[in-house]
Amino acid sequence: MGAVYRKEMRSYLVSMIGYVFIAFILLMMSFYFAYLNLNLASPRFEAVLESIRFVFVIFVPILTMRVLAEEKKQRTDQLLLTLPLTVSDIVVGKFLAVATLFAVPMGIVCLYPLILARYGQVNLAVAYMSILSFFLLGCANIAIGLFFSSITENPIIAAVVSFVVLLVCYLMDDLSSMVPNTASASVISFAVLFALLAAVLYNLTRDLWGAVITGAFLITADVCLFIFKRTMFEGLFHRFLNMFYMTGRLENFFNGILDISGVVYFLSIIGVALFMTMQTLNKRRWS
Amino acid sequence: MIEVKNLVKKYGDHFAVNGLSFSLENGKIYGFLGPNGAGKSTTMNMMTGYIASTSGDVVINGHSILDEPEEAKKCIGYLPEIPPVYPEMTVSEYLTVVADLKRIPKVDRKSVVADAMETVKITEMKDRLIKNLSKGYKQRVGIAQALIGEPDIIILDEPTVGLDPHQIIEIRELVRSLGQKHTVIISSHILTEISEVCDYVLIINHGKLVAADSTENLEEMFAGGNSLELLVDGKKDAIVRTLSSFGEIIKCDIADYDEEQKAYPVQLKVTNDADIRRGLFKAFASADMPIIEMKSRMVSLEEVFLELTRDIDVDKENDTDIDSATPGVESEEA
């Protein structure tokens, strides 16, 4: 893992993308910092972070698109996978490298609340908690970008897909409010979702019966639950969709609540995304 | 020591590798021979753990590539078909990264990289970006990468493809010198390469092993005796009559009359140790039919290869015949 990490860091040091990313994040932060905190004389540093949550949608896809797709394109994955390394060494090493790159501007940003504190009362605990949550959100986005980089060997496709997915997650608050809240709408939405899941399952495994049985089981369970516990379904799909509204999880931190469930949420997303990335790499070896 | 046990790789309904079994001793140079698409690269990719087999196993120095992949991979240096290089790195940077990935301690890395560059003669290129190197040099960087860490087994997939004749000779010499310390496996569809460098040849076709033996044995076995080629000036039936007095002739082909040479080309297969050239000369001389040309030759590996792979095509539907038609296929004494 260490060797993969060092190799990745080295490639960021010699290529432009790392520096551009750091500069861009810093530029955005500093711009909003100068405007919101200095110009408007507000002590709330979290307001800056709140305003620039959208940067991930733009910059994470660009940063992560090449990480695994390029290896496959250049056939260097053949080197990595035939060296005495495990798939998790590769994936985790690469993830940590991107996360480190993101940690650089975040580390610099940690100075900003101190600058503010020189001129007035600043709640530093809230400010640093917000920075931490912002960093976790970034890492979760990076893990998702990494996953989409593993499913294709074309970096552009990886970038477009992760852009769309991150954008949908970013807008999920608005999108989910468009879904009707009634129980019947929920049950139908879930049925469609399970059917899609079965289709994906079939696509991955080529096991028609397995996919049909899984899909049928889930849909039956969905309908049975609907019949017996109708009230449970009210607004359920809405809540389900909101699970993907990652940026919304920052609210508690910005309001000064140390939201442990939020931390667990981000760590879980990172874990699931990295696990799926490993599985994608493994699957390619087995198919 | 590599043992390949009943290796199968299936893509959909197509068998890329179909029940391959063999075992390779230490300290020899092995050649994988087969036409394009025979399953050479797939086999090598499975031996090195890049792709997993559908069934069967590869055991390297006692470590199964499926159960103990890390231990097994430590024993192997692999150059895939396309050298897996990072174009934006310099040669020495790249090799240092590989040394790091192969867990060479930091203090040794420099000397290990220098040695590898020296072995493949790319020391003078060490500060060049790999993307600016020619194909031949990239190939050497790929080989240097495989050599780092002195693995017991070095697997090179078509190491001479796309190189000029000079480079091919150099790589061949390199492979030969590597064979003194390592077990080397190279694949190729170029026969001269295999017959010149390798001690032992494995011929693969349609994902199956069709022959496995030392280079000399294969040639001998398929010769089925010596071959003679003659050009005889005379009547066809007279030639046949003359030849029929020789019991040593196994097979006799008389081609159509050659207008240019004014003679019949004759091909003879003769039992192994018999030398009938003098007898033929006398017999044809006394029959007043001048022999314009006569040459004796051994069957080359190329013909062995063509013979074996043609058999497969004919018997594609009926696999059982192949084994009986190919001596050496059962030989697993290696």
Side-chain angles (χ1 to χ4, degrees):
Chain A
M1 185 159 75
V4 177
Y5 174 78
R6 284 191 288 279
K7 168 194 154 296
E8 288 296 301
M9 287 314 289
R10 181 187 208 121
S11 75
Y12 288 127
L13 288 177
V14 297
S15 74
M16 233 175 50
I17 180 98
Y19 296 109
V20 171
F21 172 75
I22 292 171
F24 184 81
I25 297 266
L26 274 181
L27 183 77
M28 296 300 289
M29 295 253 190
S30 310
F31 180 76
Y32 277 88
F33 175 69
Y35 177 69
L36 291 172
N37 290 142
L38 302 182
N39 257 15
L40 299 181
S42 153
R44 289 187 67 249
F45 183 70
E46 16 339 335
V48 173
L49 299 175
E50 203 167 355
S51 313
I52 63 160
R53 288 179 300 189
F54 67 90
V55 289
F56 297 125
V57 177
I58 304 165
F59 251 73
V60 164
I62 299 172
L63 196 61
T64 55
M65 64 179 185
R66 297 177 65 217
V67 175
L68 285 160
E70 190 81 359
E71 298 267 6
K72 208 188 312 176
K73 201 174 175 188
Q74 289 177 353
R75 301 293 198 96
T76 42
D77 62 328
Q78 214 159 353
L79 172 73
L80 294 178
L81 289 169
T82 55
L83 289 177
L85 297 166
T86 61
V87 171
S88 62
D89 284 340
I90 298 169
V91 172
V92 176
K94 279 174 176 282
F95 169 74
L96 288 180
V98 188
T100 308
L101 195 68
F102 177 50
V104 173
M106 292 312 288
I108 297 171
V109 158
C110 283
L111 298 172
Y112 292 7
L114 294 178
I115 298 173
L116 280 183
R118 277 183 63 89
Y119 303 108
Q121 278 290 0
V122 176
N123 191 337
L124 287 179
V126 174
Y128 286 117
M129 221 152 62
S130 304
I131 292 177
L132 173 75
S133 67
F134 192 76
F135 177 68
L136 284 174
L137 171 67
C139 288
N141 279 294
I142 288 166
I144 291 170
L146 205 61
F147 168 67
F148 288 110
S149 180
S150 74
I151 58 172
T152 166
E153 61 181 271
N154 185 337
I156 303 298
I157 293 177
V160 170
V161 175
S162 44
F163 172 76
V164 170
V165 169
L166 292 180
L167 185 69
V168 167
C169 287
Y170 181 73
L171 299 174
M172 192 51 94
D173 197 25
D174 294 332
L175 293 177
S176 66
S177 64
M178 295 173 198
V179 179
N181 247 339
T182 60
S184 47
S186 271
V187 79
I188 291 167
S189 308
F190 273 114
V192 172
L193 190 73
F194 291 144
L196 280 175
L197 193 73
V200 170
L201 202 65
Y202 171 67
N203 202 11
L204 288 177
T205 59
R206 299 275 151 206
D207 179 2
L208 183 63
W209 283 110
V212 166
I213 290 168
T214 316
F217 174 76
L218 287 171
I219 292 171
T220 318
D222 180 43
V223 173
C224 288
L225 275 173
F226 176 68
I227 293 167
F228 296 112
K229 270 191 98 176
R230 197 189 168 93
T231 48
M232 195 185 95
F233 275 88
E234 263 165 41
L236 187 66
F237 196 66
H238 182 95
R239 266 175 282 149
F240 170 74
L241 288 182
N242 268 339
M243 268 171 53
F244 299 96
Y245 182 48
M246 286 183 280
T247 34
R249 293 287 169 141
L250 297 182
E251 297 298 340
N252 280 342
F253 293 93
F254 291 165
N255 292 328
I257 302 165
L258 179 56
D259 183 0
I260 297 296
S261 76
V263 174
V264 173
Y265 170 81
F266 286 129
L267 293 179
S268 319
I269 288 190
I270 294 170
V272 169
L274 293 186
F275 176 75
M276 277 162 64
T277 310
M278 291 172 206
Q279 293 311 307
T280 315
L281 293 188
N282 272 329
K283 179 187 174 271
R284 205 187 310 142
R285 298 179 51 219
W286 287 94
S287 61
Chain B
M1 171 89 175
I2 304 176
E3 279 175 89
V4 171
K5 295 173 188 165
N6 213 356
L7 206 61
V8 176
K9 183 70 188 179
K10 229 175 144 182
Y11 289 116
D13 290 334
H14 167 73
F15 283 97
V17 171
N18 191 356
L20 214 52
S21 298
F22 52 83
S23 61
L24 310 180
E25 292 169 20
N26 287 342
K28 277 192 178 174
I29 304 178
Y30 290 91
F32 267 28
L33 196 58
N36 290 326
K40 302 187 296 287
S41 290
T42 312
T43 308
M44 289 188 152
N45 278 337
M46 282 191 280
M47 288 167 67
T48 53
Y50 176 56
I51 54 174
S53 53
T54 308
S55 69
D57 198 0
V58 178
V59 180
I60 291 158
N61 288 351
H63 305 288
S64 158
I65 195 85
L66 293 175
D67 301 331
E68 304 169 85
E70 277 186 82
E71 286 302 314
K73 285 173 187 174
K74 267 184 201 162
C75 310
I76 300 179
Y78 180 39
L79 169 73
E81 234 173 326
I82 297 163
V85 291
Y86 292 102
E88 70 284 353
M89 288 185 191
T90 66
V91 172
S92 61
E93 262 176 3
Y94 169 70
L95 294 175
T96 312
V97 164
V98 172
D100 187 14
L101 290 166
K102 288 195 180 181
R103 302 194 182 152
I104 310 280
K106 201 166 184 184
V107 280
D108 302 336
R109 250 174 248 163
K110 222 172 192 168
S111 64
V112 165
V113 168
D115 286 350
M117 286 195 291
E118 201 52 52
T119 315
V120 299
K121 302 196 186 82
I122 45 166
T123 313
E124 71 274 25
M125 297 288 165
K126 71 182 175 53
D127 294 323
R128 293 253 205 119
L129 286 179
I130 293 177
K131 66 178 164 200
N132 296 333
L133 293 180
S134 67
K135 171 94 175 99
Y137 275 112
K138 270 186 201 161
Q139 197 78 21
R140 286 189 211 193
V141 174
I143 297 176
Q145 164 272 119
L147 297 181
I148 280 180
E150 294 273 320
D152 293 345
I153 299 152
I154 290 168
I155 301 182
L156 308 173
D157 195 356
E158 309 213 346
T160 56
V161 161
L163 303 186
D164 67 37
H166 269 294
Q167 294 168 325
I168 291 181
I169 291 169
E170 281 183 31
I171 299 261
R172 255 183 229 163
E173 275 162 13
L174 177 65
V175 168
R176 231 177 264 138
S177 67
L178 290 175
Q180 290 162 6
K181 273 201 271 176
H182 311 264
T183 308
V184 184
I185 306 170
I186 65 172
S187 78
S188 182
H189 55 260
I190 303 158
L191 298 136
T192 44
E193 191 163 292
I194 298 277
S195 61
E196 275 199 28
V197 187
C198 301
D199 307 317
Y200 203 89
V201 184
L202 300 148
I203 300 182
I204 296 174
N205 198 18
H206 295 293
K208 287 191 167 185
L209 194 64
V210 288
D213 212 331
S214 66
T215 320
E216 300 84 45
N217 277 356
L218 271 183
E219 285 171 353
E220 223 166 75
M221 223 174 286
F222 270 81
N226 297 315
S227 278
L228 281 176
E229 278 179 7
L230 297 103
L231 269 177
V232 184
D233 182 3
K235 295 253 160 38
K236 195 171 180 177
D237 49 345
I239 296 173
V240 175
R241 214 176 314 127
T242 312
L243 288 173
S244 62
S245 59
F246 290 91
E248 297 92 337
I249 296 173
I250 303 165
K251 202 175 150 206
C252 163
D253 283 321
I254 302 178
D256 289 339
Y257 189 66
D258 187 337
E259 291 292 341
E260 213 175 288
Q261 303 280 350
K262 301 206 182 325
Y264 280 100
V266 180
Q267 282 209 346
L268 300 177
K269 262 197 175 172
V270 191
T271 50
N272 247 341
D273 320 309
D275 188 354
I276 57 166
R277 285 174 296 179
R278 286 175 188 81
L280 280 175
F281 173 78
K282 281 175 190 154
F284 278 110
S286 65
D288 197 19
M289 288 186 289
I291 298 177
I292 299 177
E293 208 178 291
M294 170 154 66
K295 51 187 180 190
S296 125
R297 68 194 183 94
M298 292 287 287
V299 174
S300 71
L301 191 58
E302 186 146 10
E303 281 160 293
V304 175
F305 174 69
L306 287 174
E307 182 97 352
L308 286 171
T309 47
R310 188 177 46 233
D311 274 355
I312 296 285
D313 282 336
V314 174
D315 294 336
K316 220 174 190 172
E317 308 302 318
N318 186 7
D319 286 340
T320 48
D321 288 358
I322 302 160
D323 295 30
S324 55
T326 53
V329 72
E330 306 292 358
S331 67
E332 273 197 24
E333 79 276 18

